[in-house]
Amino acid sequence: MYIDSGADISIVSRSFGELFGHNVAKGKKIKLKGVSGEHIIAYVHKMRMLIGKHEIQVEVAIADVEEIPNILGRKEVFNSFEIQFKNLKKCTCFLRK
């Protein structure tokens, strides 16, 4: 997943959500607007996410389309970790608070 500090909520493609057993349309329907200005229909679901050895429960928007990158947004993730981007070492560190 791409880490996007500008994204309010994490979003994944429809097939990614289905891969983890979610019936996409059973989530709360929302309309998101991306950087391009294009609107995307998505459905919000609760998911368990494993980051390193830490498991957290997050809300994830599952897009109704495939043509979208999987993005790790701020909601619940950025409050749970200190995130360090170490460009010279080409790594990203998630430190548990």
Side-chain angles (χ1 to χ4, degrees):
M1 295 181 83
Y2 294 104
I3 303 167
D4 185 351
S5 62
D8 294 327
I9 189 169
S10 298
I11 185 166
V12 297
S13 66
R14 182 179 192 90
S15 62
F16 194 90
E18 289 173 343
L19 178 67
F20 288 95
H22 292 277
N23 181 338
V24 176
K26 285 195 172 183
K28 178 185 170 195
K29 185 177 181 178
I30 61 172
K31 190 183 332 183
L32 299 172
K33 186 175 176 181
V35 174
S36 67
E38 186 177 331
H39 286 93
I40 298 166
I41 299 298
Y43 299 86
V44 178
H45 291 261
K46 284 282 191 184
M47 290 180 141
R48 289 189 325 258
M49 187 176 288
L50 187 63
I51 299 176
K53 49 189 165 175
H54 303 286
E55 185 176 302
I56 60 172
Q57 182 99 352
V58 298
E59 284 189 348
V60 175
I62 302 173
D64 200 25
V65 295
E66 285 301 311
E67 302 78 27
I68 187 165
N70 297 320
I71 294 173
L72 188 64
R74 290 190 320 269
K75 189 172 187 177
E76 293 147 341
V77 177
F78 281 50
N79 290 339
S80 300
F81 296 92
E82 177 182 327
I83 303 171
Q84 297 177 349
F85 297 93
K86 297 185 176 186
N87 294 330
L88 296 177
K89 293 185 178 182
K90 296 183 180 179
C91 72
T92 302
C93 299
F94 288 79
L95 305 172
R96 189 70 173 186
K97 289 184 176 182

